[in-house]
Amino acid sequence: MSKTELGVNQVAQRIHLRLRRYLEAQYHVRETGIINERLAVLNEPGGISQRPFVEITPSYAVQESFSKLKITATVRDLLTELSRWRPSINVFPPYQHQADALENFFGAEAKDLIVATGTGSGKTETFLYAVLGMLAVEAAERSTSFTKPGVRALLLYPMNALVSDQTARLRRLFGDERLAALFRERWRRHPRFGMYTSRTPYPGVRAGAKDSRHLSKLVSYYEELETSTNAEDQTLVRELRQHGRWPAKDMVKFFARHREEQTTFKTGKKAGQPRTLHHWLERFHTDRQDRELLTRHEMHEGAPDLLVTNYSMLEYMLLRPIERPLFAQTRDWLAADPRNQLLLVLDEAHMYRGVGGAEVGLLIRRLISRLGIGRERLRCILTSASLDTGADAERAGEAFARALTGDSATRKFAVVRGTREARPVPTAGTKGEALALAQLHGEDLGAARVAPDAAYAELVKVCDQLKWSPPPPIEAEEGLAARQYVARQLTGFGPLESLIKFAAGKAIPFDELSRALFPSVSQEDAERATNGLLALGSFSRRFEPGREEQPLTPTRVHLLFRGLPSLYVCVNPRCSSRRHRPTENGLVGRIFTAPCTHCACGGRVFELLTHRDCGTAFLRAYGVGARADFLWHERGGTLTEFGKPLHALHLLLEEPHPKALGDVDPVLLDIASGRLLAPSGTEIAGTRLCYRPVA
């Protein structure tokens, strides 16, 4: 297998081929002509797959630091300090839109936010900075209030998968022990967070037997890994912590193995044998150093400052008595100081539309009522990557936000949009650049971590052909120096800048993108060159002081597939629109993937069915009664003229088996109109023979 077969189109074609083979094997067809016509349909774009689309995640303008923002000094100074920590705590110098959001949120008008920036623009960090700032302001200005438990920020998501992802991010920020130590040193305690969904152990009143069943195995897994001296286990723990997949708490203390008591059975057949008393109810208690609350009973005892859940679970929580302490503590905290406000974050807010959106809107109003506050004491941040551009779209977005969260007499919404970074002027790739990039084996660059020598050889080759200076070797730190070198060389490189111009923030068909980037070469060479350019862009790492290393062009390839759609067929055996051997005599004509009344040749179109075992072809049509004399292509309900419903009819297209001759009657189908005629013994022009089951 050639290395050049692993480009965007080649991967898409391989997946398409596997899917096509599966469908052909599962949906049997006997007649050769239909097989060939269906094959042509399956191979067409839009049949079972679309051509691949390429999208580049845009890069946004960055502010030098938080220090120049016009916001509360406590928030500004804290974020500035955290952005300088090394290793990073995932607080970086803000993008321009993050700075705008903070200034609107903490400014004199204290606006609520609609963060309408693209995917990968740091929307999550935008509201996490706001949460962090609100906690810091309360801790600094209302120390007595800060000691009280209560939910200060409610992060609401439409599904559990998003909740899990958000929890990982919270662990990397609020779960960092350095941040917790800073809060304890300055403001006596650190913030806590918890995920409250159907996956959070465990429902119901706490009991020892339930601890044994629901918590023991889960928590002991972490405890055993944390206490293991095995090098592989220690590496796994470090990786889990790094990716936010490890609870932000001391799992050894939480499991409290020292609470186990070794004794023996006193009576019975096991008398004298070893026995372990676990004392479950004396275990699984929150330690003062814990940043995360892992179980439901922990959150019932002391509400977390940040609660992450989904709207379905919130609805249950508002109904069930067992969750009353969460709302009671939050209500008491809000009553403790009139300046206290609950922050509600609605991520992916565009999903709350229609009836579902109305239900969530009512749920928010129930929450406000339960807490005994007005809308003015609810701060809201809505995020979405789907808000259209223009003043009308912004007004519609604000109206949507007010309808969802309720009107506030004193607070407005601010729509925050992303500001793209300035880029050099793009130019089309030359023939020489195209041919150099076309020879690059991108899969070798992609495997640089495991095969650095092969990756370096490819990099040296393409740099030489593009007349770039020799690259540094790929060695320490995963070849970071070489990756940064590639980013510097690509910055201002005409085809790369064109790639960003055409595909940043929008998906474009790969073949169209290739033609636009390299118009001076053949389509095949243009696509190979585009594959090489994408590989270099993904390999590169741009250097921005104070930020994590990111590819110069973070790329997504959209591959769209579907199962076998319903097939509709022209009944004209000599169809001139058929893909396979048009006008030749066949069993049927052109196949369609959507219903229609007529083919371009003039023949009626009906749904095609085949028998799963033998592959015999049938038409499915609709008529008034089993002996209908006219066929409709879709079920239309009841015909008012006749007052009778339409029934599904199945017409056999092929010659019936000799044993079935008594079970079916031959009928003539008018090709143009769909009318059924009785055979007359003589051939009737414009008709074809079918077989109808005997009523």
Side-chain angles (χ1 to χ4, degrees), residues 309-343:
T309 187
N310 58 67
Y311 66 87
S312 296
M313 180 57 73
L314 178 59
E315 185 166 9
Y316 286 122
M317 292 168 68
L318 287 168
L319 292 172
R320 296 185 302 212
I322 197 170
E323 276 95 12
R324 285 176 183 169
L326 281 166
F327 300 106
Q329 293 169 35
T330 304
R331 184 169 183 155
D332 292 343
W333 165 73
L334 286 165
D337 194 299
R339 293 171 292 177
N340 290 344
Q341 296 173 322
L342 173 66
L343 173 58

Side-chain angles (χ1 to χ4, degrees), residues 257-578:
R257 192 178 290 275
H258 63 279
R259 293 291 184 181
E260 295 179 349
E261 180 183 346
Q262 303 301 322
T263 182
T264 59
F265 287 96
K266 303 301 182 184
T267 60
K269 295 182 179 180
K270 294 184 178 181
Q273 296 183 17
R275 179 187 182 188
T276 301
L277 298 178
H278 294 281
H279 303 297
W280 292 117
L281 295 182
E282 298 179 16
R283 306 165 72 170
F284 305 122
H285 292 293
T286 308
D287 187 74
R288 292 186 61 186
Q289 306 296 318
D290 289 347
R291 285 84 63 202
E292 179 178 359
L293 304 182
L294 192 63
T295 66
R296 298 190 190 192
H297 74 258
E298 286 185 277
M299 287 180 260
H300 298 163
E301 292 174 359
D305 300 277
L306 287 79
L307 183 66
V308 191
T309 187
N310 58 67
Y311 66 87
S312 296
M313 180 57 73
L314 178 59
E315 185 166 9
Y316 286 122
M317 292 168 68
L318 287 168
L319 292 172
R320 296 185 302 212
I322 197 170
E323 276 95 12
R324 285 176 183 169
L326 281 166
F327 300 106
Q329 293 169 35
T330 304
R331 184 169 183 155
D332 292 343
W333 165 73
L334 286 165
D337 194 299
R339 293 171 292 177
N340 290 344
Q341 296 173 322
L342 173 66
L343 173 58
L344 174 65
V345 177
L346 296 172
D347 206 2
E348 306 295 340
H350 56 272
M351 299 185 70
Y352 302 119
R353 295 177 293 184
V355 175
E359 292 178 353
V360 173
L362 293 173
L363 180 65
I364 293 171
R365 286 157 177 81
R366 286 172 52 202
L367 173 65
I368 293 173
S369 175
R370 180 70 171 272
L371 296 176
I373 59 176
R375 173 63 177 83
E376 289 71 21
R377 296 188 67 185
L378 180 71
R379 300 298 308 273
C380 296
I381 299 179
L382 283 66
T383 73
S384 174
S386 300
L387 185 64
D388 207 350
T389 57
D392 290 341
E394 291 193 5
R395 284 192 291 270
E398 292 178 41
F400 167 78
R402 288 195 300 271
L404 186 63
T405 63
D407 278 317
S408 171
T410 60
R411 187 177 299 113
K412 298 180 180 179
F413 273 96
V415 178
V416 179
R417 293 194 176 277
T419 302
R420 301 279 182 91
E421 69 171 347
R423 299 292 310 177
V425 177
T427 58
T430 65
K431 184 176 181 179
E433 291 168 341
L435 295 179
L437 292 169
Q439 297 178 44
L440 176 67
H441 294 147
E443 62 273 19
D444 285 337
L445 284 184
R449 294 182 181 181
V450 295
D453 292 341
Y456 185 66
E458 286 297 314
L459 188 56
V460 169
K461 181 180 69 174
V462 73
C463 290
D464 181 62
Q465 292 174 340
L466 292 173
K467 297 181 172 53
W468 294 349
S469 59
I474 300 177
E475 44 187 18
E477 299 181 8
E478 299 181 347
L480 186 56
R483 294 174 186 270
Q484 291 179 344
Y485 159 85
V486 172
R488 291 193 298 270
Q489 297 296 328
L490 288 177
T491 300
F493 182 56
L496 190 282
E497 301 301 337
S498 294
L499 172 64
I500 294 175
K501 172 188 174 183
F502 291 125
K506 56 184 177 183
I508 180 172
F510 179 71
D511 54 351
E512 292 181 16
L513 177 64
S514 301
R515 286 195 298 271
L517 296 180
F518 303 101
S520 60
V521 297
S522 67
Q523 181 65 30
E524 181 180 359
D525 286 339
E527 291 181 1
R528 289 179 176 175
T530 304
N531 283 327
L533 184 63
L534 292 173
L536 278 177
S538 299
F539 175 80
S540 68
R541 293 293 183 273
R542 59 193 301 164
F543 175 71
E544 295 177 357
R547 300 191 73 86
E548 285 187 333
E549 303 286 342
Q550 296 290 335
L552 187 60
T553 54
T555 305
R556 288 183 293 178
V557 178
H558 302 274
L559 302 177
L560 309 176
F561 299 90
R562 67 170 176 172
L564 183 68
S566 297
L567 299 180
Y568 303 85
V569 65
C570 170
V571 297
N572 185 0
R574 301 187 67 83
C575 176
S576 58
S577 297
R578 189 167 46 214

Side-chain angles (χ1 to χ4, degrees), residues 611-623:
H611 193 278
R612 182 174 291 276
D613 294 328
C614 67
T616 302
F618 297 82
L619 292 180
R620 177 157 65 182
Y622 301 92

Side-chain angles (χ1 to χ4, degrees), residues 604-649:
R604 285 295 307 276
V605 176
F606 298 99
E607 188 174 3
L608 174 68
L609 302 178
T610 58
H611 193 278
R612 182 174 291 276
D613 294 328
C614 67
T616 302
F618 297 82
L619 292 180
R620 177 157 65 182
Y622 301 92
V624 181
R627 309 302 293 179
D629 59 2
F630 182 80
L631 300 182
W632 302 82
H633 71 294
E634 290 184 301
R635 186 191 300 275
T638 299
L639 294 176
T640 57
E641 182 178 349
F642 301 100
K644 297 180 180 179
L646 293 179
H647 295 277
L649 305 174

